[in-house]
């Protein structure tokens, strides 16, 4: 099958990273077409950025439709433009937040979300409400790590992220962690080994759900 994997921001390094992180989970028969819009914000850090990114993101959905893909993945944790994308698509459209919540709920009593900027916390809350996962989530925590700081993760950034995950586990009672940014996709395995709980990257989750669908 062919998957249209869309990084809705225009940061090319992040698109490459996201594509790379799918190689260890996708079936050999799955072709991942990773791309990003022609224009728009370099990172999506708030509701304003989501709106600005959405029109060009929908162009990439249309391009995928023209290429007869079997599924589209919106690889940004706010699941921007998901409803609009589903209106114009003829195949499944999966947002990485929805995919991560779904899989995290299968392996934990309650999962915690660890995300980027404090400004994005309302988006996580909205998505939990919208998809009906509030009762399965122990809370969302921000690291105040900017999306672009994840392009090449320094030791300091990794330790900040790990610390917030530890708080989610010890203080909030999270039994699994959902990573709140596509730019964290390369860190899930390392974090899971360090924390000894499942750490769910929405990009990998979305690829496996797309293949299943
Ligand atoms: C994201 C994401 O996944 N990509 C992006 O540009 N911003 N998420 C976030 N919480 O900041």
């Amino acid at each position: 099958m062919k998957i249209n994997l869309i990084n809705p921001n225009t940061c090319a390094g992040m698109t490459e990273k996201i594509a790379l992180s799918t190689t260890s989970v996708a079936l050999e028969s799955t072709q991942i077409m990773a791309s990003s819009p022609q224009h728009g914000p370099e990172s999506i850090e708030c509701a304003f950025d989501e709106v600005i990114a959405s029109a060009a993101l929908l162009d990439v959905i249309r391009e995928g439709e023209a290429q007869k893909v079997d599924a589209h993945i919106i690889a940004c944790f706010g699941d921007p433009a998901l409803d609009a994308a589903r209106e114009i698509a003829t195949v499944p459209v999966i947002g990485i937040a929805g995919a991560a919540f779904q899989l995290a709920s299968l392996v934990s009593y309650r999962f915690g979300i660890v995300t980027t900027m404090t400004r994005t916390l309302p988006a996580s809350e909205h998505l939990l409400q919208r998809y009906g996962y509030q009762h399965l989530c122990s809370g969302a925590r921000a690291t105040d790590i900017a999306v672009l700081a994840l392009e090449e993760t320094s030791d300091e950034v990794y330790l900040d992220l790990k610390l917030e995950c530890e708080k989610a586990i010890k203080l909030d009672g999270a039994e699994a962690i959902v990573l709140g940014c596509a730019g964290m996709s390369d860190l899930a395995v390392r974090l899971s080994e360090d924390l000894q709980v499942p750490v769910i990257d929405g990009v990998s989750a979305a690829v496996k759900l797309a293949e299943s669908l």
Side-chain angles (χ1 to χ4, degrees), residues 7-9 14 42-45 75-78 96 115-117 120 147 180-183:
N7 170 23
N9 70 44
M14 190 171 295
E42 203 184 358
S43 65
I44 300 172
E45 317 251 8
C76 175
F77 197 73
I96 64 168
T115 188
T116 53
M117 306 304 284
T120 66
V147 174
C181 181

Side-chain angles (χ1 to χ4, degrees), residues 31-148:
Q31 186 191 343
I32 304 276
M33 296 163 42
S35 63
S36 60
Q38 292 292 318
H39 57 90
E42 203 184 358
S43 65
I44 300 172
E45 317 251 8
C46 59
F48 177 88
D49 292 341
E50 279 195 14
V51 172
I52 300 299
S54 288
L57 156 60
L58 292 168
D59 288 341
V60 187
I61 296 276
R62 281 201 200 283
E63 284 160 23
E65 288 286 307
Q67 295 184 48
K68 305 242 175 298
V69 298
D70 300 292
H72 306 272
I73 293 173
I74 299 179
C76 175
F77 197 73
D79 291 357
L82 185 66
D83 290 335
R86 285 180 177 161
E87 277 181 0
I88 62 171
T90 58
V91 293
V93 185
I94 303 174
I96 64 168
F101 297 163
Q102 190 107 48
L103 294 199
S105 72
L106 299 178
V107 293
S108 63
Y109 175 61
R110 289 196 298 170
F111 61 84
I113 301 170
V114 178
T115 188
T116 53
M117 306 304 284
T118 302
R119 186 59 235 143
T120 66
L121 289 176
S124 291
E125 298 289 337
H126 285 152
L127 292 173
L128 288 166
Q129 279 169 21
R130 183 189 153 189
Y131 300 146
Y133 284 98
Q134 277 161 303
H135 62 299
L136 299 175
C137 180
S138 57
R141 286 182 169 272
T143 53
D144 284 325
I145 298 168
V147 174
L148 295 179

Side-chain angles (χ1 to χ4, degrees), residues 159-179:
L159 291 175
D160 285 350
L161 185 59
K162 185 159 86 83
L163 183 68
E164 218 51 49
C165 293
E166 283 165 349
K167 287 187 197 162
I169 296 163
K170 291 195 181 117
L171 303 180
D172 305 339
E175 291 183 356
I177 299 291
V178 163
L179 296 177

Side-chain angles (χ1 to χ4, degrees), residues 152-205:
E152 276 174 37
T153 314
S154 65
D155 285 347
E156 194 190 346
V157 164
Y158 180 78
L159 291 175
D160 285 350
L161 185 59
K162 185 159 86 83
L163 183 68
E164 218 51 49
C165 293
E166 283 165 349
K167 287 187 197 162
I169 296 163
K170 291 195 181 117
L171 303 180
D172 305 339
E175 291 183 356
I177 299 291
V178 163
L179 296 177
C181 181
M184 297 172 180
S185 59
D186 57 331
L187 305 175
V189 172
R190 183 177 169 198
L191 281 168
S192 191
E193 282 168 6
D194 285 353
L195 298 164
Q196 292 294 299
V197 299
V199 176
I200 314 286
D201 153 45
V203 181
S204 298

